[in-house]
Amino acid sequence: MSSLLELRHLRTLTALRDAGNLSRAAELLNLTQSALSHQIKLLESVYGGALYERKSAPPRFTAIGARLLELSDRLLPHVDAAELDLARLAAGTAGQLRIAVECHTCFDWLMPAMDAFRARWPEVEMDIVSGFNPEPAALIPQDKADFAVVSTWENGLTGVDFHPLFRFEIVAILSRSHALVEKPWLEAADFAGETLITYPVPDEMLDVVRQLLSPSGITVQRRSTELTAALLQLVASGRGISALPLWAVKSYLDRGYVKHCTIGRDGLYGSLYGACASRLSGAPYMLDFVRLVRESCFLTLPGITLL
Amino acid sequence: MSSLLELRHLRTLTALRDAGNLSRAAELLNLTQSALSHQIKLLESVYGGALYERKSAPPRFTAIGARLLELSDRLLPHVDAAELDLARLAAGTAGQLRIAVECHTCFDWLMPAMDAFRARWPEVEMDIVSGFNPEPAALIPQDKADFAVVSTWENGLTGVDFHPLFRFEIVAILSRSHALVEKPWLEAADFAGETLITYPVPDEMLDVVRQLLSPSGITVQRRSTELTAALLQLVASGRGISALPLWAVKSYLDRGYVKHCTIGRDGLYGSLYGACASRLSGAPYMLDFVRLVRESCFLTLPGITLL
DNA sequence: GATAACAATGAACTTTATTCATACTGCCCC
DNA sequence: GGGGCAGTATGAATAAAGTTCATTGTTATC
């Protein structure tokens, strides 16, 4: 009888468009694919027609779906703005956000989220904690940082809360002519005798060392450089192999500049978490920041999974 | 965690503002007062503060409530427009709407709804069935009307569906100096010997006759006139008494031009229904018309209750 | 201080949304 | 051309609401 259209449905539609398919949209919304499928089925029964063509990627919307999307685009920004205002009403607008990172590549994807955040919370003082921080989470209890990107969820730390960010695959990077390229996947032994080219971080922070090499008792030569491009240049020219997040090297792989190889039979995966001071863990601006990071990463980084 | 604000909540807030209090808002939304109270309580717990001051009528909104209302005002018109578009997509935009009324006063409140309807469904041919129609519902099977305002729900008619509209009190109208004014309420016997001043409709269509006088076997003199103003002028000058919907005479009563009196111990009530051809009963434009009528009446006519 | 109107509340209930488990579909690829 | 694979659909089970019911609390009014 009366209208059953809710914001939920509009959010689903835009997520579908943004994410490219139902399953990814579900991930973005923290729901299951099934839930969204049911939602859309309901809408279709109400409006008497399909909302989009299922077999096309990206989804192609019908007139009905397009009209609903048009509505979403008009509505959701206002909803977002209103909720932002309300969050600010609830807990002042001021605050600090000193960000520390463990790995340099993080800035690649942190930047868009930081830009969005700055626009949304102009009164929050945002800073990057400079210098080399092997254990950025430790800076939080010392009150030298408010937020840190870390790869391990340390339950021990008091006064520090963790927010899951995402999970990604780490692949071995090899020159196009490397012998190992032929293998379906690499085992620890394959690294013996190779030079491992990495970012300049301590051994125990490299997932490939921590999860694969150390447990197998294999040690390798290391060589490091700051920039991803330089690193790949070294690999391409045969100075060694590397192990990097897939999202960091996807574009090089697509261009055929280097080759890659799964590490371990089931692949090697790293995770990232956002650590923050417990006292700020529930602050609207902190929650908003985490959300922005997750969202922008999911839409930007290829092949990642939200945690 | 993620936003739980839904259109439902925004609809509640605007209904609250439009209707003036929770109970009336509930009526407008076809929900109970309790449901709305729970909704608002939830919102308040989420946003950390009251949405409005309960004890003031009309409701006075807090900053939070006002921000949400602002959002509603920006959103709901778009939602409405979109749903209208979608309804038109589903079932063409053309159609006929020939309206017949049983009682002349109906046009008072039918007009605003008709104006709104014309704007929303420009391609639907709207007409008023002219002439005197003692039984307008009968015109529907004859295909001389598509919609009729009637005061009885006749289950017998085939091919005709009824939509409940509203219920209203019918009061006796007396000159300021009339003796009966002193009575707490009038019974059938009080009408004996009086002249009943009415619109020019047959006896059996007057609720006061049908529900009170006929059952008691009391007959009265009748005198009729078309216009409400003329009718009241006759009453005021002592030519007789009348029985009219409260909403039709409220403004005269407020000005003290005439007096009124409850009819029967529990009051006399009339109801109105919208009759329409079954074949059109589910048509989007017909449902929309009924909705517009109910809504505009509820917001406009004092003292009515939606059915 | 009774009455009436409105709002709040907790529990029962109903409805709806979501998940789970599984089956279906189109597509790519040896 | 028969796996695998990624995406989608579906029915039943479950979880999570939203809503009502019955009642109480509150405030204003006469």
Side-chain angles (χ1 to χ4, degrees), chain A residues 63 97 129 141 151 213 227 232 249 295 299:
Chain A
L97 184 57
V129 178
S151 53
L213 271 26
L227 291 167
L232 289 173
V249 295
E295 204 166 281
L299 295 177

Side-chain angles (χ1 to χ4, degrees), chain A residues 188-224:
Chain A
D190 292 324
F191 286 82
E194 297 284 346
T195 298
L196 189 63
I197 303 174
T198 67
Y199 295 114
V201 296
D203 265 24
E204 69 278 10
M205 278 184 45
L206 293 170
D207 285 286
V208 67
V209 173
R210 198 172 48 201
Q211 294 186 47
L212 186 78
L213 271 26
S214 276
S216 318
I218 292 186
T219 56
V220 294
Q221 269 214 295
R222 289 269 307 277
R223 177 166 178 181
S224 67

Side-chain angles (χ1 to χ4, degrees), chain B residues 148-251:
Chain B
V149 176
V150 299
S151 53
T152 51
W153 183 305
E154 291 181 60
N155 277 310
L157 283 172
T158 55
V160 178
D161 281 9
F162 290 87
H163 298 269
L165 296 178
F166 58 88
R167 193 173 126 90
F168 53 91
E169 185 174 2
I170 296 166
V171 293
I173 307 296
L174 313 164
S175 79
R176 294 194 287 182
S177 57
H178 199 110
L180 290 172
V181 160
E182 302 303 324
K183 296 199 68 170
W185 49 273
L186 303 189
E187 49 200 327
D190 292 324
F191 286 81
E194 297 284 345
T195 298
L196 189 63
I197 303 175
T198 67
Y199 295 113
V201 296
D203 264 23
E204 69 277 11
M205 278 182 46
L206 292 170
D207 285 286
V208 67
V209 173
R210 198 172 47 203
Q211 295 186 47
L212 186 78
L213 271 24
S214 276
S216 317
I218 292 187
T219 56
V220 294
Q221 269 214 293
R222 290 269 308 278
R223 176 165 178 180
S224 67
T225 182
E226 291 265 351
L227 291 167
T228 307
L231 205 149
L232 289 173
Q233 203 278 322
L234 289 174
V235 170
S237 58
R239 313 300 173 80
I241 70 178
S242 189
L244 293 170
L246 184 54
W247 52 259
V249 295
K250 184 74 164 33
S251 60

Side-chain angles (χ1 to χ4, degrees), chain B residues 14-38:
Chain B
T14 52
L16 171 58
R17 180 188 48 194
D18 294 348
N21 67 44
L22 265 199
S23 311
R24 274 173 55 85
E27 201 174 348
L28 196 52
L29 297 171
N30 288 312
L31 290 171
T32 62
Q33 171 268 321
S34 178
L36 302 198
S37 182
H38 282 298

